[in-house]
Structures are given as structure tokens and as C-alpha cells.
Amino acid sequence: MRALTVLQAAAALAVAVRLARGRHRLPALNPVPADAPAHASTSTRTARTAPPRVSVVIPARDEETRLGPCLSAVLADPAVAEVVVVDDESLDGTAELASRLGAKVLIGAPLPEGWVGKQWALKQGVEAAVGEVVVTLDADARPAPGLIGALATVLDGYDLVSVGPRYMCEGTAEQALHASFLATLVYRFGPIGPPTPPAPHRAVANGQCMAFRRTAMLNVDGFARVRGHLADDVALARTLAARGWAVGFLEAGNLLEVDMHDSAAGVWREWGRSLSLRDVTGPGWQAADLAVVWLATALPVLRLASGRTTRLDLGLLAVRLLLAGALRGSYTRPGPGVLLSPLLDPLAALRLTQTTLRPARGWRGRVYPAATTGVRLGRVTTYGRSARATADGRTGRVTTGGKPMPPDRTAARRGT
């Protein structure tokens, strides 16, 4: 028991350090209207005469029932030059809906061996886009006016940026489980918007909404580098951060909502499958993350249920309740489920352990072989190659380049 107490105290200290970063986190994005005046770029010290052209790319596979609100929002945004929907071999009316609403529909090519569908769709969409800046959105995203302009503006300080949304969760059980899962991410990585970037191997991102300069992404062939990863957003952020890219993860405030799931079962099945980030995290960090979640969230609740709490347990429960209160701002209509979420922390820890030990390899009717889930990132990228390797997405050929360098932002803005 003494050893367990020491381990729990160490986990509590790690959580305290991570949560303390929230006191100084970067502010949430502010909406930028499409007709906002030109501004000066601090990195080039030259005035921009016009906002950049922005292409929105939406990968979609059987998204007929969820795509409409997302498309309607971005098509009505004057900051958007074009909307490209990549139809990834859908079996429903996704392509027809997108075309009818006015998007440019790109019928995706058959999925090559070794690729996960989303990365393949994004690669094709970015290649077909015409804007200087590309914003990628999932079909379940609900962007508000001003989001696209804000993302284009914030790229003056970043090479790749993603944002945290507000979640649309209905029902007490769904919201409680979702908030419990969300708490595990905060305990492992800290709040969104850290003032100091984490080490590349601990970078996180949200693939529901990302922005970058098109030329820079094509030059580095970013999606080919992470073609086999199921945790594609985090894989991309870590791979590019290791190459010197400035990667940001910011709070979107009131500018983005996401309707991810329709039930608690959907949260457990769909979000739970990727929660562990198994295919982008080394064994040591996997063990450490699991230990923090079990010792700092699940164990105090289990001891409370058995009537055997310690003072450390009570302290951790108090911190968790405070976090539950803070997480209410992450939901469009927070209900009692958010405050009840600590009671489900043992279930969240169990699901995290399950997907760490037996990671899921299927999504939307496709099952990917074990080899396509890749390996630990950081100094190593997909298939065990050096972070300096460049993958040819069409042939699978790998060539070795020179020292990783961040993208030339000045050239990217000129489109060269």
C-alpha cells in the first residue's frame, strides 16, 4: 500500500503541474470578419494588401446525414474562396448532397495499400484546392461566422494550427461519459492553448478543424508521412513539429461546435477507439499516461465507493470536481452529466486501457491491417523511418533528405 501511495502522489503531482499551465494559456480565437482590414505580418514586416484565399477541404465517407449544416455554414462564409468535398467511396448520397448545396465535389480515387482513408482523402483535397490557406473540417463540424478568417490570421504565428470546439452532447449519460473521456486528455496533456509548445512527441491536435498553408503542406507531403496512422491528427502534429514546424492547439471559443455522437454507446465505441493514441505514443508514455488516469481519477472514485478514501483521494476528487466545473464551457448546452462525469472515471480508465492493449483498426466499414497503424512518433515517423525521410505517397518510395527545416512562411504566402 505504501508503494501505491507513493505512485498516486507522483501522479497527483504530474496532474497538478499540467493543470497549472491553464492559468497562463493562450486566449481563445476571436472572430475575424471577411472584410477585416489588412494587417501587418510580424514575421515579414510587410503589409498584407488582401486576406489570403482560403479553401475548405472536407473529407467525407457516408456523411449524408451530417454534412449539410457544415457545408451550409462554410458556403455562406465570404472568407471562403472554395469548398472541396472529397467523397471517399461513399455508399450513400454524400456526393449528391454536396454538389446540390454548391460545393466542389472530388470523387476520391481508390484507397492505396498502406493508407488510412481520411489521410488519402485529405491529400487529394489539398492537391485539388486553389487557396493559399487550407482549412480542413470534419463533416460533423459546425463553424460559426468568423472562424475561417480567424484561422487564416493566426497562421501568421503558426505553420499548423488546430482548435478545440464546443461539443454538442445530448442526454445525461452521453454527456457524462464524453466529459469523463475529455478529462483523461486534460490530465495527460494539460489544457488547450499552452503558452509554451510541448515537446514534439507530446504535441496534440484536433483533426476536426485544422489550418495550414497549402504550398508548405504539399512541399513536405505531410499526409503521406502519416498515411498509416489511425490517430491521424496527432500523428501529423507530432511529425511536423519534429521537423521544426510551429504547431498550435488553441481554444475556438464560440466559433466551432461539433456534433460527434448520438448516444453514450457511440461515445464509448467511436471516441473511445482512438482515445489512447496508441499508434502515435511510445510504450513508456503509454504506461505513464495509463498510470496517471488510473491513480488520479479512477482510484479515488473506487475508494470512495468502497468507503476507504484517503486524504490524497479526497484532494484528487476535489480537483476532479473543479475540472468538471471548468469543462462545462466545453459544451454547447452543459447539463448535469458534466458534473456527474467523475463517477464514470473508472469506466473511462477501463476503456483507455482496453484500446491501449487492443487498439481498434477499423473505421467506417474498413479494416486496416496491423502494419498500417505505424509506430511511435517524435524522432521516428511512419514505418520506422527517420523523421528526415520523405515519403512518396503514390509509390511508397522513401528517400532521405537533409536536416529538417520549418516551412518558409514568406514564400508560402507568396504562393511560391
Side-chain angles (χ1 to χ4, degrees):
M1 290 298 293
R2 183 176 180 84
L4 183 60
T5 300
V6 171
L7 290 174
Q8 189 180 34
L13 179 60
V15 169
V17 170
R18 291 165 185 169
L19 293 180
R21 299 174 191 156
R23 296 179 301 171
H24 307 291
R25 62 178 181 162
L26 299 174
L29 290 182
N30 290 316
V32 176
D35 57 353
H39 63 278
S41 168
T42 56
S43 61
T44 63
R45 300 184 182 274
T46 61
R48 178 178 291 166
T49 58
R53 297 184 70 191
V54 180
S55 296
V56 173
V57 175
I58 303 173
R61 178 174 170 83
D62 296 332
E63 295 285 9
E64 182 182 11
T65 60
R66 298 197 296 179
L67 182 60
C70 178
L71 266 183
S72 297
V74 293
L75 286 167
D77 193 331
V80 177
E82 66 168 356
V83 179
V84 180
V85 174
V86 184
D87 181 44
D88 183 17
E89 299 184 318
S90 297
L91 299 178
D92 62 4
T94 294
E96 292 81 1
L97 172 66
S99 179
R100 185 169 66 251
L101 291 177
K104 173 182 175 181
V105 178
L106 176 63
I107 303 301
L111 185 68
E113 183 179 358
W115 282 79
V116 170
K118 185 175 181 180
Q119 289 93 295
W120 177 237
L122 286 171
K123 177 180 171 63
Q124 295 174 85
V126 172
E127 289 176 346
V130 299
E132 292 176 61
V133 168
V134 172
V135 174
T136 68
L137 289 173
D138 281 0
D140 56 10
R142 309 288 182 260
L147 172 67
I148 304 301
L151 290 168
T153 298
V154 82
L155 283 176
D156 276 351
Y158 296 99
D159 303 306
L160 173 72
V161 66
S162 67
V163 296
R166 287 187 175 179
Y167 299 98
M168 302 170 68
C169 284
E170 302 296 336
T172 300
E174 179 187 351
Q175 202 168 86
L177 184 60
H178 192 282
S180 184
F181 280 178
L182 185 59
T184 69
L185 292 172
V186 177
Y187 271 42
R188 288 148 64 196
F189 302 105
I192 293 174
T196 303
H201 69 279
R202 294 297 284 176
V204 289
N206 175 28
Q208 294 164 329
C209 179
M210 305 184 80
F212 47 83
R213 294 174 191 84
R214 176 178 177 273
T215 301
M217 185 62 73
L218 291 177
N219 286 343
V220 78
D221 207 4
F223 293 109
R225 293 178 179 278
V226 298
R227 59 181 176 249
H229 286 279
L230 293 175
D232 55 281
D233 46 5
V234 177
L236 184 67
R238 293 182 179 182
T239 298
L240 297 182
R243 294 184 61 85
W245 281 43
V247 175
F249 188 21
L250 305 176
E251 179 62 57
N254 298 319
L255 298 179
L256 181 65
E257 296 179 354
V258 172
D259 187 7
M260 292 176 62
H261 312 290
D262 56 7
S263 65
V267 174
W268 178 271
R269 180 181 62 253
E270 295 171 10
W271 200 21
R273 74 183 179 92
S274 59
L275 193 67
S276 66
L277 305 180
R278 170 67 172 80
D279 69 334
V280 294
T281 307
W285 276 109
Q286 290 171 31
D289 287 342
L290 278 176
V292 165
V293 170
W294 275 105
L295 295 169
T297 68
L299 183 59
V301 175
L302 294 173
R303 282 179 170 167
L304 179 66
S306 66
R308 301 172 59 185
T309 54
T310 66
R311 283 181 292 181
L312 181 55
D313 290 326
L314 293 175
L316 286 167
L317 287 169
V319 171
R320 180 64 180 86
L321 285 172
L322 289 173
L323 177 61
L327 289 180
R328 286 176 58 82
S330 298
Y331 295 88
T332 57
R333 289 180 292 274
V338 181
L339 295 180
L340 292 173
S341 64
L343 299 178
L344 299 188
D345 284 354
L347 283 178
L350 180 64
R351 181 60 168 155
L352 186 66
T353 304
Q354 180 187 43
T355 55
T356 297
L357 298 177
R358 298 184 63 184
R361 299 189 177 95
W363 184 243
R364 292 292 171 93
R366 287 174 173 151
V367 177
Y368 301 102
T372 66
T373 58
V375 296
R376 180 175 59 90
L377 294 179
R379 294 300 298 172
V380 181
T381 57
T382 312
Y383 311 119
R385 301 288 182 177
S386 161
R388 299 174 184 176
T390 304
D392 182 331
R394 294 182 176 84
T395 65
R397 177 176 52 86
V398 176
T399 57
T400 303
K403 181 179 179 180
M405 295 293 289
D408 184 338
R409 298 179 193 169
T410 303
R413 292 192 185 102
R414 291 196 306 264
T416 60

